[in-house]
């Protein structure tokens, strides 16, 4: 049977091991500036950019505004006359044209034109819109028209990207084609290309979100710390039990 001295050593060692998780966090803090993975995973898959229907189906919603969005407070607050503007937009989509006499509505439509190319109701039909001489007019846009805008506004050439974005794109693409991975979660300081389509050497890649991972920012050594804490608890219990047994025998 271990002696009291041995039992005390076991207790002390166990007490040192019990705070294992705290050691892991402390070591993580000593590691310098924090660098964490994004919770979002990205992939870069090849697409046929010459196919108008593919581009229209996948990206038209990025170019369109829904007048019904003006019901939401966070959208309304940046418009001067949200109710009147919504009515004018919906009338123009239904009838092909709507009279606009309010300067506030004109300002709202101009704001929309700076940020959107089309209007839509349920993301199935898209309307090109224009404002001239107090009249807001709309026409239904076909796939060819939508695709032309996608190619102009949503495609970035690989060589024109900043170096940091090029590096991130390569990592995303490598992970996409890797058998061991599916997508890539960038580090917090790795910028992802703003454009959803990247053209490189004549091949077009759709850069899109493919996964979301809950990340609680636990340090890498946390698992080892938990194991140490478990061993420490057992060691303390063994040491205390040994001391008690020795006292009982004596």
């Amino acid at each position: 049977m271990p002696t009291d001295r041995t039992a005390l050593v076991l207790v002390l060692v166990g007490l040192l091991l019990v705070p294992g998780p705290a050691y892991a966090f402390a070591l993580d803090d000593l590691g310098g500036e924090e660098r964490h993975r994004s919770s979002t995973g990205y992939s870069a898959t090849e697409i046929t950019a010459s196919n108008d229907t593919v581009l229209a189906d996948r990206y038209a919603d990025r170019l369109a505004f829904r007048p019904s969005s003006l019901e939401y407070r966070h959208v309304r607050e940046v418009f001067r006359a949200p109710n009147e503007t919504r009515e004018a937009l919906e009338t123009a989509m239904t009838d092909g044209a709507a009279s606009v006499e309010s300067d506030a509505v004109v300002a709202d439509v101009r704001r929309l034109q700076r940020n959107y190319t089309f209007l839509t109701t349920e993301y199935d039909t898209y309307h090109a819109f224009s404002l001239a001489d107090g009249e807001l007019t709309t026409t239904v846009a076909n796939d060819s028209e939508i695709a032309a805008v996608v190619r102009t506004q949503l495609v970035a050439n690989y060589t024109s990207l900043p170096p940091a974005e090029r590096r991130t794109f390569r990592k995303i693409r490598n992970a996409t084609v890797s058998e061991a991975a599916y997508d890539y979660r960038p580090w917090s300081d790795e910028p992802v290309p703003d454009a959803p389509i990247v053209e490189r050497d004549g091949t077009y890649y759709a850069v899109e979100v493919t996964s979301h991972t809950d990340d609680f920012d636990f340090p890498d050594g946390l698992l080892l710390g938990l194991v140490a804490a478990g061993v420490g608890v057992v060691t303390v219990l063994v040491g205390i039990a040994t001391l008690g047994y020795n006292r009982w025998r004596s």
Side-chain angles (χ1 to χ4, degrees):
M1 189 70 187
T3 64
D4 285 355
R5 179 175 295 181
T6 302
L8 287 172
V9 171
L10 289 174
V11 171
L12 290 174
V13 171
L15 291 174
L16 289 173
L17 292 175
V18 167
Y23 298 151
F25 282 102
L27 289 173
D28 190 57
D29 291 338
L30 292 174
E33 184 178 351
E34 293 186 355
R35 191 170 188 245
H36 306 293
R37 292 282 187 184
S38 165
S39 61
T40 304
Y42 295 86
S43 67
T45 56
E46 294 186 28
I47 61 171
T48 306
S50 60
N51 190 316
D52 292 342
T53 301
V54 168
L55 295 185
D57 289 345
R58 295 185 65 158
Y59 299 105
D61 62 306
R62 294 173 178 257
L63 303 166
F65 179 78
R66 292 181 64 185
S68 60
S69 298
L70 290 167
E71 295 178 356
Y72 304 114
R73 179 179 299 177
H74 69 282
V75 178
R76 294 171 60 88
E77 62 187 14
V78 299
F79 288 87
R80 294 176 56 184
N83 293 333
E84 295 85 346
T85 299
R86 177 184 177 183
E87 181 179 352
L89 295 173
E90 291 178 341
T91 299
M93 285 194 293
T94 301
D95 301 336
S99 177
V100 177
E101 300 177 356
S102 166
D103 290 340
V105 175
V106 170
D108 287 347
V109 174
R110 294 301 185 199
R111 171 185 286 275
L112 289 174
Q113 288 180 313
R114 289 193 296 270
N115 296 285
Y116 301 94
T117 306
F118 305 106
L119 302 172
T120 186
T121 52
E122 296 297 337
Y123 298 112
D124 51 2
T125 301
Y126 294 86
H127 303 258
F129 64 106
S130 61
L131 179 63
D133 300 325
E135 186 173 59
L136 174 64
T137 59
T138 65
T139 56
V140 176
N142 57 37
D143 288 350
S144 177
E145 293 169 325
I146 296 172
V149 179
V150 171
R151 295 186 185 100
T152 301
Q153 297 187 16
L154 302 184
V155 177
N157 187 278
Y158 174 81
T159 58
S160 68
L161 297 176
E165 291 187 11
R166 291 202 296 267
R167 287 193 294 271
T168 306
F169 172 79
R170 291 196 298 270
K171 292 178 181 179
I172 294 173
R173 179 57 187 166
N174 290 339
T176 302
V177 298
S178 170
E179 294 183 357
Y182 170 68
D183 56 15
Y184 177 71
R185 290 174 57 200
W187 292 100
S188 56
D189 57 354
E190 288 184 316
V192 177
D194 289 333
I197 304 174
V198 174
E199 182 270 322
R200 184 181 186 186
D201 298 331
T203 302
Y204 292 79
Y205 301 91
V207 180
E208 54 193 347
V209 174
T210 49
S211 68
H212 290 280
T213 303
D214 292 330
D215 193 340
F216 297 99
D217 259 353
F218 291 142
D220 294 336
L222 181 61
L223 180 59
L224 183 60
L226 292 172
V227 172
V231 173
V233 170
V234 173
T235 304
V236 169
L237 293 176
V238 170
I240 293 175
T242 300
L243 286 172
Y245 180 74
N246 288 344
R247 292 292 180 276
W248 176 77
R249 285 190 60 188
S250 62

